[in-house]
Amino acid sequence: MDLVQSVVPILDSFKAAFNSGDVQKAKSLLSSLKVKLTEFTSLPPFFEDTPTAPKELMIAREVLEHAVLLSVKLEDQAMFERQFAQLKTFYTDTRHLLPASQQEYPIMGLNFLRLLVQNRTAEFHTEMELLSQESLQNVYIKHAIALEQFLMEGAYNKVIAARRDVPAESYNYFMDLLMTTVRDEVAASCEKAYPTLSVASAKEMMSFDSESDLMEYAEERGWVVADGCLKFLVDVNQELTSKDIQSTHLINQMLSYAKELERIV
Amino acid sequence: MVEDTDMKEVEKVAKKPAAKPAESVPEPDLSVLLKRNVSLIEKAVNSKEPRLMGRVLRQTGVFRKKLTAEKIEAFVKSTLPEGVVMKPFLLDSLSSEGSGMQVDVPSSGKEATFLPETEIYACLVVILYLIDQKHYEKAKAVTTAAVQRLDTFNRRSLDLLAARVYFYLSWSHECLNTLDEIRSKLLALHRTATLHHDNIGQEMLLNLLLRNYLHYNLYDLAEKLRSKTELPESRSNQQYCRYLHYLGRIRAIQLEYTDAKECLIQASRKAPQAALGFRIVVHKWLALVRLLLGEIPERTMFRQKGLEKALEPYFYITQAVRIGDLNAFRAAVDKYQSVFQTDKTMNLITRLRKNVIRTGLRRINLAYSCISMTDIAAKLGLGLTDDVESIVAKAIRDGAIDATLDHPNRCMYSKDQVDVYSSQEPQGAFHARISFCLDTYNEAVTAMRFPPDAHKKGLESAEARKERQQQEQELAQHIAEEEEEEEEDF
């Protein structure tokens, strides 16, 4: 019990620092908390059945939940991944030991967003398989999954709309990151789909705040601006180079056929 | 839980062809058959010939349905000498089953030649009986005890029997829905099997573990295990088939549809006709993976004998994707939602929405040279009009359709279709076919079995020829048996 008692005050001051927005102090307190947590024997992977086990698990889960949210505040994606990996076992393996956490779905949703931002779709779907049909209906999860579908379809306006009604404040960081991805995607689509596009509509489609921002971006991508219109360059070179690759590819194929046939005859 | 029923179906169907020839001939008594198997086991162990062991298991499958508690009790009493660890336990698990009739069989004095293989075989017979009678709790107890007993031996001649015991261990747990309990045990067994170069156990346990993970949708862990284990060199067709099925599913979840398709196609081709349940599951996944790749599965796939009914929901989904009608797609999803949820394919189905839009767009693109966004939205059944433009733009960028957009007029102009035969496509299709044929040929060559000393037969006398003919006959018999075995094992 002493051990648990000694952790509680640190946890309280950590939470206070977290809530008041003092991220540096929270960060240093977090590392001391983590050291303390290693002394709890009832935590995964040991799951020792001690009398204080539920309390210890609760504290550990709370610490990790705050750590995940802290990493969002610090805008540190690697830290987010680490903390979430630790926290995940609490959500999967201690379900029968603890009451469900209120933070569970928001944090899961955050993780989905992170995978989306980092474009790790395979992992996104693997994680998604773990959720039951009921949890898929949860507002936090649904938000992230809908985003993925919009992105796949190309319904970028809906993504931009989703930016406005995020389910929690902590989502803003990842949503902002997602916006840049979306802008790049829209730009790439425009390049292929439109021969020309007026500056005004381009500004609206890529959700730029001012025309000068758009001009900067246009220069970056090598678009030509003339008469208030953007002209996209058609890549002529691509076809020529693809023909070069074709012949070596074909030679390789033919050689492999010859080799195989020789083996048969 | 889908696969439970599938596996049961498989077993049921697999029994049929095997049981038929047995019925036409007057069947010797069950106890005689069991005795014969025991002597076969002894022969197998003494001659170190694992093929004989395979025959034992096959024959057990034939009379499996005829097992009764009394017969097994008598068998256990007569075969296992006193002092064998499992004997009282086995009798105990049977006792409440049978009528309690005590059959007194004189001990046949087997002590001198008693083998652990026989003991495990007796366990296996009891387990088979308990599972057929749906006493899963008891089957679980017996298998757990048998696995514990197996841990005390280190004999290669046990491998085949041990693998079966592991299978039923997992099976009884699956029926009781407690698969997660045995995961660490299976992992430990797999480790041991790998260290002992026990190929049969290794394959079996790897598949059981994959099944275990996939049962709980732990695709992540399944993939990690799979990528870190090696498949043993000599593999049996059935186990490899299962492995391909699991791998195909993992790949499909990870959005690697091309790999997934290859695995699932191979699995469906390798699966014996009798394994109906297995084929149903494979075809369901295969249909979805092909749709996700943008292919349309042929109608014949859904018309296969015995599969029509199970594949019906997937047939409607395919139809909706083929004509690119979002409304039909939504209707089909709503109608069969529960089916897809039990099949664990719901998430894949939701991914298909994009493909429905794409095929719809492609049709519009082919039919119209110029069409307004509002018309496209109406034709596809899309909701908001302002989204259509970006969806179409993305489709153009991904190369699904060939067109240009006009933003001020909100129109799509289709470009003229290029002649396919001027592109590389025919060559690609041709290459795919050639490489498939070559692969099949190479696999056939590696799968062939050559009789020992066959090359020495160049100079043979009349007597030798007679002998050779006899050998050939035996070989033919072996092959026939092998085929039987493959069907059986599913």
Side-chain angles (χ1 to χ4, degrees):
Chain A
M1 206 62 197
D2 307 336
L3 207 59
V4 177
Q5 288 303 338
S6 68
V7 173
V8 171
I10 314 180
L11 178 64
D12 285 340
S13 55
F14 169 62
K15 277 201 274 189
F18 177 81
N19 288 331
S20 65
D22 188 354
V23 282
Q24 289 312 323
K25 191 181 167 205
K27 204 177 169 185
S28 61
L29 279 171
L30 176 66
S31 34
S32 61
L33 269 175
K34 283 271 182 115
V35 176
K36 283 272 179 201
L37 286 186
T38 54
E39 292 167 35
F40 288 179
T41 48
S42 65
L43 301 188
F46 303 111
F47 291 116
E48 241 171 67
D49 197 11
T50 55
T52 55
K55 200 145 195 196
E56 289 177 18
L57 285 168
M58 275 293 245
I59 290 176
R61 193 175 68 180
E62 213 170 327
V63 168
L64 287 169
E65 277 172 352
H66 278 89
V68 169
L69 295 175
L70 181 68
S71 65
V72 176
K73 278 196 179 175
L74 288 167
E75 308 194 346
D76 186 345
Q77 291 186 33
M79 178 176 164
F80 183 95
E81 194 174 347
R82 272 198 316 274
Q83 309 291 1
F84 184 77
Q86 288 181 41
L87 183 60
K88 207 176 142 194
T89 46
F90 284 88
Y91 290 148
T92 49
D93 299 342
T94 64
R95 212 170 269 284
H96 53 288
L97 297 172
L98 290 179
S101 162
Q102 290 213 323
Q103 288 291 317
E104 177 168 348
Y105 285 117
I107 287 183
M108 298 270 258
L110 270 179
N111 186 47
F112 276 117
L113 268 187
R114 174 184 68 88
L115 292 172
L116 212 54
V117 168
Q118 296 175 343
N119 203 15
R120 284 150 74 168
T121 27
E123 280 166 68
F124 184 93
H125 285 282
T126 324
E127 289 282 321
M128 204 170 119
E129 286 296 321
L130 289 171
L131 295 173
S132 63
Q133 285 299 321
E134 296 86 65
S135 4
L136 286 178
Q137 296 306 318
N138 184 284
V139 61
Y140 296 102
I141 307 290
K142 220 176 166 182
H143 180 256
I145 289 180
L147 276 180
E148 196 263 353
Q149 270 196 336
F150 295 153
L151 282 177
M152 288 292 271
E153 265 174 36
Y156 298 118
N157 287 322
K158 285 192 183 164
V159 181
I160 294 166
R163 166 74 185 84
R164 278 178 229 123
D165 45 33
V166 284
E169 199 199 327
S170 47
Y171 279 46
N172 284 338
Y173 165 61
F174 284 118
M175 286 307 283
D176 284 339
L177 287 177
L178 207 58
M179 282 305 115
T180 25
T181 325
V182 168
R183 183 172 295 161
D184 289 341
E185 292 279 316
V186 175
S189 301
C190 288
E191 274 176 7
K192 288 269 153 46
Y194 300 94
T196 58
L197 194 65
S198 72
V199 173
S201 39
K203 188 189 132 205
E204 189 200 317
M205 279 168 121
M206 294 173 214
S207 62
F208 277 108
D209 292 330
S210 67
E211 266 183 37
S212 58
D213 284 348
L214 174 64
M215 290 305 142
E216 228 170 81
Y217 190 71
E219 209 168 304
E220 225 172 86
R221 294 191 79 101
W223 297 336
V224 183
V225 188
D227 309 332
C229 274
L230 291 172
K231 280 208 170 67
F232 305 111
L233 294 174
V234 187
D235 251 339
V236 199
N237 298 335
Q238 220 169 17
E239 270 173 45
L240 282 173
T241 46
S242 69
K243 265 192 184 138
D244 288 335
I245 300 163
Q246 202 190 353
S247 60
T248 45
H249 182 66
L250 210 60
I251 291 169
N252 278 333
Q253 263 182 19
M254 291 305 150
L255 282 176
S256 71
Y257 294 161
K259 204 172 76 191
E260 292 286 334
L261 278 177
E262 202 162 57
R263 251 199 291 193
I264 294 172
V265 180
Chain B
M1 291 307 287
V2 210
E3 278 169 54
D4 299 2
T5 46
D6 294 335
M7 290 301 279
K8 261 180 239 157
E9 273 171 58
V10 174
E11 288 185 355
K12 242 183 263 163
V13 182
K15 287 292 101 68
K16 267 178 208 156
K20 257 177 208 156
E23 271 159 14
S24 55
V25 195
E27 185 68 24
D29 191 45
L30 198 66
S31 52
V32 180
L33 284 171
L34 284 167
K35 281 270 155 55
R36 199 189 290 162
N37 273 345
V38 170
S39 57
L40 253 180
I41 290 175
E42 276 156 19
K43 203 167 141 199
V45 176
N46 293 333
S47 64
K48 296 197 175 64
E49 178 60 90
R51 292 171 63 77
L52 286 176
M53 205 61 110
R55 197 182 296 170
V56 171
L57 290 172
R58 238 172 299 141
Q59 283 176 0
T60 316
V62 174
F63 59 72
R64 178 174 169 183
K65 283 279 173 280
K66 298 191 188 111
L67 292 173
T68 59
E70 297 95 69
K71 290 268 170 65
I72 302 173
E73 203 174 328
F75 166 68
V76 172
K77 276 192 181 154
S78 65
T79 346
L80 300 186
E82 287 306 324
V84 170
V85 185
M86 291 298 284
K87 185 176 180 179
F89 186 72
L90 288 180
L91 290 176
D92 195 41
S93 62
L94 281 170
S95 58
S96 51
E97 296 312 315
S99 53
M101 189 173 64
Q102 293 295 309
V103 194
D104 207 14
V105 184
S107 179
S108 41
K110 280 236 160 87
E111 282 86 345
T113 57
F114 182 72
L115 294 164
E117 282 79 3
T118 318
E119 185 183 346
I120 298 302
Y121 179 67
C123 291
L124 199 59
V125 172
V126 173
I127 294 164
L128 278 177
Y129 171 74
L130 289 173
I131 285 187
D132 283 347
Q133 301 297 316
K134 301 209 172 13
H135 297 299
Y136 298 124
E137 279 292 349
K138 275 185 187 156
K140 182 174 128 186
V142 177
T143 40
T144 317
V147 170
Q148 258 168 22
R149 184 84 181 119
L150 275 169
D151 282 350
T152 58
F153 301 115
N154 182 13
R155 292 166 69 105
R156 291 289 63 78
S157 47
L158 263 172
D159 287 350
L160 206 58
L161 289 170
R164 286 303 169 96
V165 173
Y166 300 149
F167 174 77
Y168 287 111
L169 174 73
S170 162
W171 180 235
S172 55
H173 274 273
E174 189 167 335
C175 291
L176 294 167
N177 211 1
T178 52
L179 266 182
D180 48 344
E181 285 170 17
I182 51 163
R183 201 177 293 150
S184 49
K185 179 74 193 162
L186 289 178
L187 279 168
L189 285 170
H190 183 259
R191 214 157 39 227
T192 323
T194 313
L195 289 174
H196 286 169
H197 294 286
D198 166 9
N199 287 346
I200 304 158
Q202 221 174 314
E203 289 178 317
M204 176 69 91
L205 287 162
L206 179 61
N207 278 334
L208 290 179
L209 276 166
L210 288 179
R211 186 186 181 82
N212 199 319
Y213 285 134
L214 294 195
H215 185 81
Y216 293 99
N217 285 343
L218 295 165
Y219 288 92
D220 194 19
L221 295 177
E223 169 59 18
K224 275 183 187 143
L225 171 76
R226 193 207 60 78
S227 60
K228 288 185 173 54
T229 42
E230 260 173 53
L231 270 190
E233 279 282 303
S234 64
R235 58 203 175 190
S236 76
N237 187 29
Q238 310 87 304
Q239 295 302 334
Y240 189 52
C241 207
R242 287 199 179 103
Y243 175 78
L244 282 172
H245 161 228
Y246 297 134
L247 180 59
R249 282 174 58 178
I250 296 174
R251 287 280 177 269
I253 294 299
Q254 292 178 329
L255 295 109
E256 288 170 39
Y257 303 127
T258 324
D259 282 359
K261 187 184 127 193
E262 233 155 69
C263 291
L264 290 169
I265 283 188
Q266 269 214 52
S268 71
R269 284 195 180 130
K270 277 182 195 279
Q273 282 295 308
L276 195 61
F278 180 80
R279 275 169 55 222
I280 288 175
V281 179
V282 170
H283 276 109
K284 280 176 179 173
W285 280 79
L286 188 56
L288 285 181
V289 167
R290 295 183 72 166
L291 285 176
L292 283 164
L293 272 172
E295 297 172 20
I296 303 294
E298 311 83 33
R299 191 174 270 264
T300 44
M301 186 177 135
F302 299 99
R303 286 267 171 278
Q304 289 175 75
K305 218 175 149 237
L307 303 183
E308 307 107 322
K309 191 114 192 67
L311 292 181
E312 201 182 81
Y314 295 87
F315 176 64
Y316 285 115
I317 290 284
T318 309
Q319 264 189 336
V321 177
R322 196 176 68 84
I323 55 172
D325 184 351
L326 265 185
N327 290 326
F329 178 70
R330 254 180 241 135
V333 173
D334 285 344
K335 190 172 170 195
Y336 296 107
Q337 199 160 23
S338 56
V339 180
F340 298 137
Q341 270 166 21
T342 39
D343 286 356
K344 295 185 180 177
T345 50
M346 195 60 214
N347 289 337
L348 286 183
I349 302 257
T350 34
R351 285 188 216 172
L352 269 176
R353 200 183 121 89
K354 188 187 97 180
N355 293 58
V356 182
I357 297 175
R358 286 283 157 89
T359 35
L361 267 179
R362 208 170 301 149
R363 285 163 72 93
I364 293 173
N365 183 33
L366 285 175
Y368 296 86
S369 58
C370 172
I371 183 167
S372 79
M373 290 296 156
T374 10
D375 286 342
I376 294 181
K379 278 191 183 302
L380 292 179
L382 281 168
L384 290 161
T385 30
D386 60 338
D387 261 294
V388 183
E389 204 168 324
S390 57
I391 290 175
V392 176
K394 183 149 199 277
I396 294 173
R397 179 183 149 217
D398 293 350
I401 53 173
D402 204 4
T404 52
L405 295 181
D406 184 355
H407 187 69
N409 298 323
R410 300 180 54 73
C411 274
M412 178 177 90
Y413 296 102
S414 306
K415 283 185 191 161
D416 288 336
Q417 287 299 304
V418 208
D419 181 17
V420 186
Y421 284 94
S422 71
S423 71
Q424 296 189 29
E425 226 161 278
Q427 198 247 332
F430 197 45
H431 173 69
R433 286 179 206 184
I434 293 177
S435 53
F436 174 73
C437 289
L438 290 174
D439 276 353
T440 317
Y441 175 81
N442 284 336
E443 271 183 32
V445 170
T446 42
M448 265 197 272
R449 190 195 290 273
F450 297 99
D453 294 339
H455 58 283
K456 286 184 191 160
K457 272 192 250 152
L459 309 156
E460 54 180 2
S461 60
E463 232 177 46
R465 190 173 304 138
K466 226 184 216 168
E467 208 177 274
R468 184 195 54 160
Q469 275 161 354
Q470 206 181 343
Q471 265 182 4
E472 272 171 359
Q473 243 174 12
E474 269 176 17
L475 190 70
Q477 217 175 340
H478 269 310
I479 292 168
E481 268 178 14
E482 197 122 290
E483 278 167 0
E484 214 184 301
E485 180 184 19
E486 283 185 8
E487 294 199 354
E488 280 274 336
D489 277 3
F490 257 89

